[in-house]
Amino acid sequence: MIKPKAIFLDMDGTILTHQNQVTVKTKEVIDQLRSKGILVFIATGRSFDEIEALVPEGFQVDGFISSNGMAAHVDGVAVMEHSLPLDLVEKVIEKARKHKVYYELFPNKGSRFTLKEDRHFLENEIRDPRTETVGINEWMSRKEAIKSEIEWKDVIEGDKFSKFYCFSRSKEHINTWKKELEELKKEIDFTMSISSEHNVEIMVANVNKATGIEYILNKHNLTANDIVGIGDSDNDIPMLKFVGHSVAMKNAPDHIKELVDDVTDFTCDEDGVSDYLEKHFL
């Protein structure tokens, strides 16, 4: 077991429960780690603007890598960010409309949005009852997005966008969409990231959690051998392969557990991260 100088934590399925909340216990353990001089960072697929609503009051870390490596924030300020090419944004929306694919477009700053004319097929994707294979946390997030988080716009506004999030209640539908995106990649290169069987996210080419972490390490004169990473899903694979000591959640699928150095004793709903960090680093 290494003595880490920094720890990088995923959110969904890791420090977030399936009710999309970080527990007070997790906050307290992070506070203790930081008091010992260990840096703690969040590395999430979520946008930076989503995070505040998910964490307890007084939650503090040393920085955030958001949108699967598309941006990094320290003290609330963006210190690094990438933007999707505008022609890619337009083509993804055009194809999503054609194939009736649920999409959310995230600006580098501000609220996610979807074009008004596409609202009907987004709402159709989250009609009750929930498809059994869709995780409750992802389903709740989509319900909340439709209800109050998505801005419905007449036209694309702005010129800096961090990512697309795409979803389907049907595995077959989302897999067909991934094939469409693979064809589009032949025209314009970009990175695809998956955190469940029902979604795919679109980011700038060659950007992922590991590239975001590498940026942070360079700022702190650290190496991959100095750090621990904890995650649970496919979008965490670049991070888990990059860090010196990789940990999967007990609730992670088997193919993730096979990649890592260790697995937590408890799930995300059982404070698995705080238990692991307390046992090994406090």
Side-chain angles (χ1 to χ4, degrees), residues 81-128:
E81 60 182 12
H82 300 278
S83 297
L84 293 169
L86 288 179
D87 56 342
L88 174 62
V89 169
E90 292 169 353
K91 288 184 178 182
V92 169
I93 290 177
E94 177 186 345
K95 288 181 176 292
R97 180 174 298 132
K98 177 181 178 181
H99 294 278
K100 293 183 167 52
V101 172
Y102 179 115
Y103 71 91
E104 300 169 13
L105 177 58
F106 288 76
N108 284 11
K109 294 180 181 178
S111 300
R112 74 193 86 173
F113 69 85
T114 304
L115 297 185
K116 287 180 182 177
E117 62 184 289
D118 301 329
R119 183 167 186 159
H120 62 288
F121 61 77
L122 269 74
E123 291 179 335
N124 186 57
E125 284 291 343
I126 62 158
R127 68 189 185 276
D128 290 323

Side-chain angles (χ1 to χ4, degrees), residues 106-172:
F106 288 76
N108 284 11
K109 294 180 181 178
S111 300
R112 74 193 86 173
F113 69 85
T114 304
L115 297 185
K116 287 180 182 177
E117 62 184 289
D118 301 329
R119 183 167 186 159
H120 62 288
F121 61 77
L122 269 74
E123 291 179 335
N124 186 57
E125 284 291 343
I126 62 158
R127 68 189 185 276
D128 290 323
R130 171 175 62 95
T131 307
E132 185 176 338
T133 53
V134 176
I136 186 63
N137 58 328
E138 187 164 30
W139 188 251
M140 289 171 59
S141 293
R142 302 288 65 74
K143 289 280 193 181
E144 189 61 31
I146 291 285
K147 179 182 176 182
S148 62
E149 294 175 349
I150 292 174
E151 288 191 11
W152 305 95
K153 295 185 181 288
D154 292 314
V155 296
I156 298 170
E157 296 178 2
D159 59 0
K160 291 186 177 181
F161 305 100
S162 64
K163 70 170 185 175
F164 276 98
Y165 167 89
C166 304
F167 168 83
S168 178
R169 62 190 291 117
S170 161
K171 291 183 186 179
E172 182 180 4

Side-chain angles (χ1 to χ4, degrees), residues 32-54:
Q32 291 177 58
L33 290 167
R34 296 179 72 229
S35 72
K36 290 171 63 73
I38 299 173
L39 301 173
V40 180
F41 298 89
I42 300 301
T44 179
R46 290 181 180 260
S47 70
F48 180 71
D49 290 338
E50 291 181 86
I51 295 170
E52 185 177 0
L54 307 173

